[in-house]
Amino acid sequence: MSRLSAKFAALKKEGRAAFVPFITAGDPDMETSFAILEKLPSCGADIIELGMPFTDPMADGPAVQASSVRALKSGATLAKVLKMVEKFRKADKTTPIVLMGYYNTVHAHGTARFAKDVAAAGVDGLIVVDLPIEEDEVLRVPAHAQGVDLIRFVTPTTDDARLKRIVADASGYLYYVSVAGVTGTKSVPEDEVRAAMARVRAVTDLPCTVGFGIRTQEQAAAIALLADGVVVGSAIVGQVAANLNAGKDKVIAEVLDLTRALAGSTHAARHGKVPA
Amino acid sequence: MNQIPNSLRAGPDANGHFGAYGGRFVAETLMPLVLSLEQAYEAAKKDPAFHEELSGLLTHYVGRESPLYFAERLTAHLGGPKIYLKREDLNHTGAHKINNCLGQILLARRMGKTRIIAETGAGQHGVATATVAARFGLPCTIYMGEVDIERQKPNVFRMRLLGAEVRSVSSGSRTLKDATNEALRDWVANVHDTFYIIGSVVGPHPYPAMVRDFQTVIGNETRAQMLDREKRLPDLVVACVGGGSNAAGMFHPFLDDTGVEIHGVEAAGDGVDTPRHAATLSKGSPGVLHGARSYLLQDGDGQILEAHSISAGLDYPGIGPEHSWLKDMGRVKYYSVTDQEALDGFMLLSKLEGIIPALEPAHAIAHVCKVAGQMKKDDIIAICLSGRGDKDIFSVAEKLGEKL
Ligand SMILES: Cc1ncc(COP(=O)(O)O)c(C=O)c1O
């Protein structure tokens, strides 16, 4: 069983939603970012989304854009990102890591080689923002052959016919983008998420996480009642930006504090009950 | 149009691929929109009423057809082949961009969209978009990089006069690439009411094919005018290439004419052997940006490099996917011209023909100055003069060390 399946199976047994923090690898520098990564599981992260920095993150709002800029300025490269995962994996055999980024990073490396190298580093899933189902076969197939899931998106603009096509070749889990927009700019609309989860559950047994508009503990708790996972990105990388002037230790402490708080709310939300 | 089975004009395929290039690399949120745009465009293409309305506007609003002008003194100066200029600079708003904007805004109306957005580099596409938005009474937001706002001030003011909101983009290199990112971000956040009028043959399918189709009026007219004037086709067709829309429109009707040589001219900035250029096809490699697979200026890790050109309209690290395909196949040859050579071309055309070209087609002029000597005296060259230079006088003055 893959680390992702094992994790979702365990969460299901415990009757709680996954807390999934997003950080950008190399933000604000490789060392600090590894120090954060390493401690995320003990702060309540069930799965980690690790951003591969890109010069032109078209689907991201200002907070994630800025984190990419910081990472690239500090010299982040794919090779360093993979080293970071490898090092993490030596100590942590169970927390799934999902790399998130843009297709040109994959393309430049070569899709087959990318699939092999990420698997070797200990990556469990890939989220490639600008690789819709019409184009994803080139990566999905080689990744799958290496035991790495390509995570597909469902969005507020996805109709039922398209949803069926999306889940048909999906594996790992689904990522519901809760708002039409870029990361970190709008707030998650609970009622719409509830309706979307019902639509998704009607067509697949795959777990479904929700992200793109969740910043607060209240939002995290509310979404934990509806979905299998709660993703928070902009608010977390926002803590890197907010504390940079106070030094690396402060950055690490604040990011982890926020993770603990959000994970706490996510985990407590259901009090062990599976949502109806 | 009679298409021979192995015509080079038949692309793209159903998924928007020109060989290995093109496609639809956008966020899932945008995919349903991109697909509905494709449907709407396919339906419009088959609707005579759509063509009639577009053609009426091109005639009475844009002033088509544009002249094919024999540049007698430039021809004499170069002492070689006969040089014709396709005068897109005489269009309403001063460039070829309006041909495409009219087509797209008619589509936007058919699709019931009520808000228009666009990216712009030189500001010509922004002005053309603001113009059609005003003409059809739709609110319009134009994204423009900070650097370009500074160097194309007259166009920024024109867009505002036309009622558009110009949003300054301060991310990345603060030029066309970053304005495109911001426009895509706006689009994904406003999917329900917004139509994104892309200004060149770039972006996800169907944009590269659709924009090309709307610009093909340039080449169709040129071909007919040339046959009328010279009773034969030109030996060489030349256009500058930023994203590649004026070139695609100029080239397309000639692609299957094997006797016609075709040259695209990119911006070499300080020179292709320096880091400051925008010669995507000459110096780039295939990658994926802004919705399509095509040549890109990028580093080994797939990070996009900043492009540099004196001409804001050519200052883009990507290129339309069809050009990548035509380059690989060898049907079109792509060259590059430096800032200095383009400036020389700009001055030369102004002084010899009384036509101040935009800095973008000044690259095409400069290229012809280089190759004319290798051609025969009775050869014929057709150059797409994609726009006029009014917008550029400030940057040229600065380059010449003069204060306006
Ligand atoms: C006059 C003119 N020519 C050419 C271009 C380059 O665009 P394209 O390569 O799409 O024709 C521009 C872009 O702004 C322009 O204003």
Side-chain angles (χ1 to χ4, degrees):
Chain A
M1 199 193 276
S2 75
R3 264 189 292 270
L4 273 169
S5 316
K7 178 63 77 176
F8 277 110
L11 287 164
K12 194 168 186 181
K13 232 186 220 158
E14 293 171 43
R16 59 186 183 87
F19 180 67
V20 188
F22 167 92
I23 59 168
T24 299
D27 172 26
D29 57 70
M30 283 330 285
E31 203 180 297
T32 309
S33 138
F34 182 76
I36 293 170
L37 176 69
E38 186 178 45
K39 298 211 180 61
L40 284 176
S42 63
C43 296
D46 298 294
I47 297 168
I48 298 163
E49 276 186 18
L50 188 61
M52 302 180 282
F54 181 51
T55 40
D56 295 81
M58 280 101 54
D60 284 299
V64 177
Q65 284 176 46
S67 81
S68 238
V69 169
R70 288 191 297 270
L72 290 172
K73 263 208 186 115
S74 83
T77 60
L78 179 63
K80 289 185 194 167
V81 175
L82 294 185
K83 277 245 164 62
M84 182 173 170
V85 176
E86 220 177 283
K87 198 164 143 199
F88 173 88
R89 191 52 80 217
K90 282 209 178 102
D92 185 318
K93 310 284 185 207
T94 58
T95 309
I97 289 201
V98 177
L99 286 185
M100 183 162 188
Y102 290 81
Y103 185 51
N104 203 46
T105 303
V106 180
H107 186 278
H109 200 71
T111 45
R113 183 157 83 97
F114 185 86
K116 241 179 87 203
D117 291 352
V118 300
V123 168
D124 303 283
L126 302 171
I127 301 179
V128 186
V129 177
D130 53 349
L131 198 64
I133 58 171
E134 280 78 2
E135 305 282 356
D136 75 3
E137 195 179 328
V138 283
L139 179 61
R140 181 167 43 79
V141 172
H144 218 219
Q146 299 288 338
V148 175
D149 294 307
L150 182 65
I151 308 307
R152 284 180 158 184
F153 287 103
V154 178
T155 80
T157 61
T158 309
D159 65 16
D160 285 337
R162 189 165 174 87
L163 179 58
K164 281 205 185 107
R165 291 179 55 209
I166 290 170
V167 302
D169 294 311
S171 70
Y173 61 95
L174 293 168
Y175 188 130
Y176 181 69
V177 174
S178 72
V179 294
V182 293
T183 50
T185 49
K186 297 182 185 170
S187 282
V188 61
E190 274 169 55
D191 289 342
E192 286 170 37
V193 172
R194 185 175 295 113
M197 286 305 114
R199 284 175 57 213
V200 169
R201 295 213 159 98
V203 293
T204 181
D205 293 331
L206 280 176
C208 187
T209 68
V210 172
F212 264 56
I214 307 170
R215 316 184 57 84
T216 65
Q217 287 179 259
E218 290 71 30
Q219 289 168 329
I223 298 305
L225 293 176
L226 306 170
D228 301 298
V230 173
V231 185
V232 179
S234 297
I236 291 179
V237 299
Q239 285 304 312
V240 178
N243 295 289
L244 260 183
N245 286 337
K248 306 277 161 66
D249 291 340
K250 178 83 171 157
V251 166
I252 298 170
E254 291 296 325
V255 167
L256 295 178
D257 275 354
L258 181 61
T259 304
R260 235 176 261 118
L262 292 164
S265 303
T266 303
H267 294 155
R270 291 192 208 159
H271 302 293
K273 276 194 285 270
V274 182
Chain B
M1 165 106 345
N2 263 335
Q3 295 219 335
I4 48 172
N6 56 355
S7 167
L8 297 180
R9 305 190 60 194
D13 70 13
N15 287 315
H17 292 127
F18 297 92
Y21 302 105
R24 288 174 286 221
F25 296 88
V26 293
E28 175 58 31
T29 309
L30 286 178
M31 261 322 280
L33 262 92
V34 164
L35 292 170
S36 73
L37 172 61
E38 183 188 348
Q39 272 175 3
Y41 179 53
E42 287 306 316
K45 264 205 288 197
K46 293 190 193 97
D47 182 357
F50 177 79
H51 292 283
E52 212 168 287
E53 188 174 12
L54 179 56
S55 139
L57 285 162
L58 288 175
T59 305
H60 303 294
Y61 191 64
V62 177
R64 302 205 74 92
E65 60 180 25
S66 65
L68 182 68
Y69 165 74
F70 173 52
E72 195 178 338
R73 295 191 67 219
L74 181 62
T75 298
H77 174 80
L78 295 175
K82 290 175 86 168
I83 297 167
Y84 282 88
L85 304 176
K86 179 58 175 168
R87 299 290 306 275
E88 293 299 302
D89 60 314
L90 294 178
N91 292 342
H92 179 41
T93 71
H96 67 294
K97 298 285 180 186
I98 189 108
N99 303 330
N100 166 48
C101 291
L102 276 170
Q104 287 200 48
I105 203 154
L106 292 185
L107 254 187
R109 290 211 312 163
R110 283 173 75 101
M111 294 176 75
K113 301 293 182 188
T114 54
R115 173 176 177 260
I116 299 297
I117 58 169
E119 83 296 339
T120 196
Q124 286 305 106
H125 175 58
V127 167
T129 303
T131 297
V132 300
R135 165 67 182 74
F136 288 97
L138 295 178
C140 163
T141 300
I142 307 288
Y143 290 91
M144 189 168 186
E146 252 174 15
V147 170
D148 292 336
I149 286 185
E150 191 50 40
R151 62 180 161 175
Q152 307 279 211
K153 277 194 195 123
N155 273 345
V156 175
F157 189 58
R158 285 163 83 197
M159 287 184 264
R160 294 200 168 121
L161 285 177
L162 291 160
E165 180 199 355
V166 180
R167 285 197 197 154
S168 169
V169 177
S170 55
S171 57
S173 54
R174 295 170 293 142
T175 58
L176 182 53
K177 161 182 86 94
D178 311 283
T180 307
N181 289 337
E182 265 328 293
L184 283 165
R185 289 181 187 122
D186 180 313
W187 199 25
V188 80
N190 297 286
V191 283
H192 297 296
D193 63 351
T194 297
F195 190 101
Y196 179 12
I197 299 189
I198 293 187
S200 194
V201 287
V202 299
H205 178 64
Y207 282 103
M210 178 172 75
V211 175
R212 174 204 70 201
D213 292 348
F214 289 142
Q215 291 294 2
T216 296
V217 65
I218 304 173
N220 283 337
E221 285 178 8
T222 303
R223 202 168 184 282
Q225 289 166 320
M226 191 63 84
L227 287 172
D228 186 49
R229 295 272 283 282
E230 293 283 350
K231 312 292 176 225
R232 69 179 189 89
L233 294 176
D235 300 282
L236 174 64
V237 171
V238 182
C240 67
V241 199
S245 67
N246 87 91
M250 181 73 169
F251 297 167
H252 222 255
F254 295 102
L255 287 178
D256 289 334
D257 298 313
T258 48
V260 179
E261 191 164 327
I262 305 178
H263 293 180
V265 187
E266 300 190 295
D270 289 348
V272 289
D273 298 321
T274 76
R276 292 176 56 85
H277 63 79
T280 310
L281 286 171
S282 313
K283 287 300 210 177
S285 57
V288 173
L289 180 69
H290 297 151
R293 183 170 192 273
S294 197
Y295 277 77
L296 283 181
L297 297 178
Q298 58 183 330
D299 70 12
D301 228 26
Q303 305 297 351
I304 310 304
L305 299 173
E306 291 183 14
H308 290 280
S309 169
I310 188 176
S311 139
L314 305 183
D315 203 343
Y316 182 66
I319 176 101
E322 192 168 11
H323 287 290
S324 292
W325 179 69
L326 289 166
K327 170 200 157 74
D328 281 6
M329 158 174 354
R331 174 61 186 101
V332 178
K333 294 203 173 68
Y334 294 87
Y335 298 85
S336 62
V337 152
T338 64
D339 284 354
Q340 188 55 53
E341 289 167 330
L343 265 175
D344 294 344
F346 178 95
M347 307 297 282
L348 188 71
L349 197 71
S350 302
K351 299 228 158 91
L352 285 180
E353 297 289 350
I355 298 172
I356 301 175
L359 280 170
E360 290 83 13
H363 286 70
I365 302 291
H367 174 71
V368 166
C369 292
K370 290 204 257 183
V371 299
Q374 302 144 33
M375 295 179 69
K376 294 198 293 284
K377 229 182 157 70
D378 56 356
D379 280 349
I380 300 171
I381 302 177
I383 305 173
C384 182
L385 194 68
S386 56
R388 67 174 88 117
D390 309 31
K391 68 181 175 64
D392 293 314
I393 55 173
F394 293 95
S395 354
V396 172
E398 193 190 306
K399 199 82 180 168
L400 299 177
E402 282 180 37
K403 199 134 186 82
L404 294 187

